[in-house]
Each structure stands twice: as C-alpha cells, then as structure tokens.
Amino acid sequence: SSDGGSQRTVSSLSRAGKMNGMHTVGKLMKVFVTRRIPQEGMKILSAAGVCEVSLWDSEEPVPRTELLKGVQGAQGLLCLLSDKIDTEVLDAAGPNLKVISTLSVGFDHLDLDEIKKRGIRVGYTPDVLTDATAELTVALLLSTARRLPEGVEEVKNGGWSSWKPLWLCGYGLSGSTVGIIGLGRIGMAIAKRLMPFGVKRLLYSGRTAKAYAAEVNGEFVPLDTLLSESDFIIVSCSLTPETQGLCDKAFFSKMKNTAVFVNSSRGAVVNQEDLYQALKNGQIAAAGLDVTTPEPLPTNHPLLTLKNCVVLPHIGSATYSTRGIMSDLAARNLLGGLQGTDMPSELKF
C-alpha cells in the first residue's frame, strides 16, 4: 500500500526573501514533518514560502532510522506524540535546529532538558483540543458507567431477550460525587460538562488549589479523600515523574468498589497490571481508558478480556475541526520559530 511511507519534498513557493520589498530570494529553511498532517497545516507552510518541507508521507509513524535521517540539517521539526525526540534525534539534526513544533498538547515525548540546553524553541497545541477531549472523556465515562459497549454486543449476539429489572444496570451521575485528578484546562472543561448531569459534589486534587474551581464549586482535597469519596474518578493530569504510575494497587484499593475510573490523559499514569487486578477482583466497578501503554495496546492484552473495561484508541481530540485547527496551529508555531518571531502557542519551560 502507499502507506509504507516515503520521504518526499514538498517544494515551497520561492517567495522567500521577499520581505520588505527586497527581491533577493533567500535560502529556503529546511523543515522535516514526521507524518502526513491535515491539509490546513501543509497549506500554511507552503504559502509562507520560507521553508523547504520534507514530509514522511504516511499515515503511520516514521521509523526511527528515517526520523534520524529526515532531521539531518533541519532548522525546524514538526512532530507528533509518537515521535520520541531525545538526545539522539537532536544530535542527528545538528546545530541548526531552531524549533520543534508538536501536534499535541502533551509534551512527555520531548526531552525538554536537552532541548532547553540547546536553546531550541518548542510549540504545542493546547486549548484548541480542550473541548473535543473533554467531550470524548464525558462520552467515555457514560459509555463505561452505563455499559454501552456491552449492550451493543448483547444486541448483536442474541443476548437480548426480555426486559429484566437488573440486566445491564450501571451507575448514573445524578447525585454523585465526581473526583478529577488534575483540574487544568481539560479537567475544568470536563467538570463544566458533568455538572449539568446533577453531580452533587466535585472534588479535585493536584499540586495547587485553583481559583477558577469556584465556577464548578470544586473542592480541593487530598488525593486519599478524593479516592475514598468519589463515585467517578477522572484522570486529566499531565504525565510527569510524579504522576507516572500514580494509579497503582494502593490507589485502586482506596476507591469504592462501585466507583468508575476514567483516564484520558496519558497511559503511563496507570499501572495496567494493577488496574487489571482491581477490575477482575471487583475492587472497582469499571474503567474507561482513552490512553494506554503501549499504544496501540496489543490485542491479546488482559484488559481487553474484561467486560468492565472500555478501551478507546486515543481519540480524545479526534474531530475533523479540532485536528484541522491543531495542524494550523502547529504550522504557525513552526513558522514563528523559524523566523524568530512570536509563536501563537509557545511552551515556556
């Protein structure tokens, strides 16, 4: 198929150097784009006329060897969260690399210490995917709590007979206590969407209390309190050394056995073996995951054998409109970094 991937150069319009009416055509800056991205971004890069774009022309991730080859001599890199940008990649790129623009809000795939050392600017795409991700998280919570995938399956396999009072019963949000771990942009957007369902209390935990939590009557509590009192627990924190493996055996053991756990942040926040045991042993009621480790999750993974675990393929921001806007923003971040001007969304670190 055409998706084995190949590197191709998308020549830019040769308008470079025509700034301030100077007609000397400057040298185009080399840019490497690690995957096919929505057209919105490619159009912006083309129209700018300041860069020569090499693209890994595939829907699939760029193999490591091709990434190391592609970045050679690049001044700009536009990457995805599946591309690990570490010392090896930065060394391969060489000293001309000025900017890394990632098509994501998360940046745990970037070695920020090393990037900072080299004075490279970083662009990312926060805010624009907040609504889509919050919406998907609510959909995942409802699907998990009300057992939608199980219901669909029963209809298809003939398990649906007569109406039964307790068949496929789940848990509702009305009158419930919701706990959000990480009340940042996305956590807050989730909270605002859940409150109209009749949630009684909204608890949140994290590094600091947030003034804006007042909008949803959020109560800042220690993690242990959140775990023992919540009917629904939503993880929406970023992946850091502190949050890596946060949701482990001890974490699940503090939850109610009727509680539903939802993660739409990063897979590595959860110890999946411990989650499997907690679900299997009835320590918690159900789990909905939009993120796993690894991604994709192998089809023979134990979690996929459980009826009370709903796993989605990391589609939090997957609406046509959101992905188009992310692509546009990533391209504009890249151009700002190349030209030494403001980036619409620069990561300050």
Side-chain angles (χ1 to χ4, degrees):
S1 83
S2 64
D3 252 340
S6 63
Q7 203 168 308
R8 69 184 172 94
T9 298
V10 183
S11 19
S12 182
L13 313 179
S14 55
R15 293 207 318 264
K18 287 192 183 171
M19 315 234 219
N20 315 326
M22 295 176 1
H23 287 282
T24 52
V25 174
K27 205 166 158 0
L28 293 176
M29 290 185 269
K30 184 180 176 217
V31 162
F32 184 55
V33 179
T34 65
R35 189 99 60 96
R36 268 182 224 148
I37 61 169
Q39 273 312 296
E40 288 88 338
M42 293 309 282
K43 282 181 185 145
I44 287 172
L45 294 182
S46 263
V50 296
C51 50
E52 179 189 9
V53 178
S54 297
L55 169 73
W56 178 252
D57 194 12
S58 169
E59 292 290 318
E60 297 305 320
V62 60
R64 187 75 179 173
T65 49
E66 296 292 340
L67 173 60
L68 294 170
K69 223 184 292 179
V71 295
Q72 279 171 26
Q75 283 162 283
L77 172 64
L78 198 159
C79 67
L80 279 62
L81 51 78
S82 48
D83 306 313
K84 194 163 176 49
I85 309 301
D86 53 15
T87 305
E88 189 183 20
V89 174
L90 298 171
D91 283 345
N96 292 336
L97 189 62
K98 295 180 179 177
V99 59
I100 296 167
S101 174
T102 181
L103 189 78
S104 63
V105 62
F107 41 82
D108 44 280
H109 55 303
L110 308 177
D111 183 341
L112 293 182
D113 290 338
E114 198 56 44
I115 290 167
K116 187 180 189 132
K117 226 181 270 178
R118 300 172 191 231
I120 298 166
R121 295 170 73 190
V122 174
Y124 67 137
T125 60
D127 303 316
V128 296
L129 49 61
T130 299
D131 287 346
T133 305
E135 198 170 270
L136 189 279
T137 306
V138 172
L140 177 56
L141 183 149
L142 292 169
S143 300
T144 305
R146 295 297 303 273
R147 303 170 65 177
L148 301 199
E150 269 185 89
V152 168
E153 197 41 52
E154 292 290 275
V155 172
K156 288 178 180 175
N157 69 21
W160 182 14
S161 53
S162 66
W163 186 90
K164 304 186 187 78
L166 291 176
W167 187 56
L168 284 176
C169 280
Y171 298 93
L173 280 161
S174 187
S176 70
T177 296
V178 169
I180 297 183
I181 298 171
L183 196 73
R185 286 178 288 258
I186 295 172
M188 187 63 182
I190 293 167
K192 284 179 172 169
R193 283 160 175 74
L194 289 178
M195 295 313 283
F197 282 92
V199 170
K200 191 154 115 202
R201 291 177 73 205
L202 187 111
L203 313 179
Y204 73 99
S205 69
R207 282 173 305 217
T208 55
K210 307 280 191 259
Y212 54 73
E215 293 176 49
V216 288
N217 295 321
E219 304 169 42
F220 185 57
V221 297
L223 182 60
D224 283 3
T225 306
L226 183 145
L227 295 178
S228 62
E229 297 185 9
S230 299
D231 300 300
F232 297 89
I233 291 176
I234 300 158
V235 182
S236 60
C237 56
S238 47
L239 176 62
T240 64
E242 294 74 51
T243 61
Q244 177 123 18
L246 171 74
C247 308
D248 59 6
K249 187 178 179 178
F251 177 105
F252 297 120
S253 71
K254 291 169 188 157
M255 285 173 59
K256 297 181 178 183
N257 56 15
T258 52
V260 173
F261 173 82
V262 175
N263 182 18
S264 58
S265 62
R266 284 289 182 267
V269 173
V270 175
N271 177 319
Q272 290 175 172
E273 175 52 33
D274 291 353
L275 174 61
Y276 172 76
Q277 293 301 336
L279 287 166
K280 197 172 173 334
N281 303 332
Q283 173 63 60
I284 69 172
L289 311 174
D290 185 41
V291 288
T292 59
T293 44
E295 291 180 4
L297 196 64
T299 53
N300 62 355
H301 194 281
L303 282 173
L304 300 180
T305 64
L306 301 172
K307 281 187 170 169
N308 58 346
C309 188
V310 177
V311 183
L312 297 179
H314 201 154
I315 52 174
S317 65
T319 66
Y320 290 110
S321 141
T322 298
R323 292 285 168 84
I325 295 167
M326 285 170 70
S327 180
D328 173 298
L329 181 54
R332 287 186 294 123
N333 282 337
L334 188 74
L335 288 175
L338 287 173
Q339 297 171 308
T341 56
D342 272 354
M343 289 159 71
S345 235
E346 183 166 6
L347 181 64
K348 298 295 182 193
F349 59 100

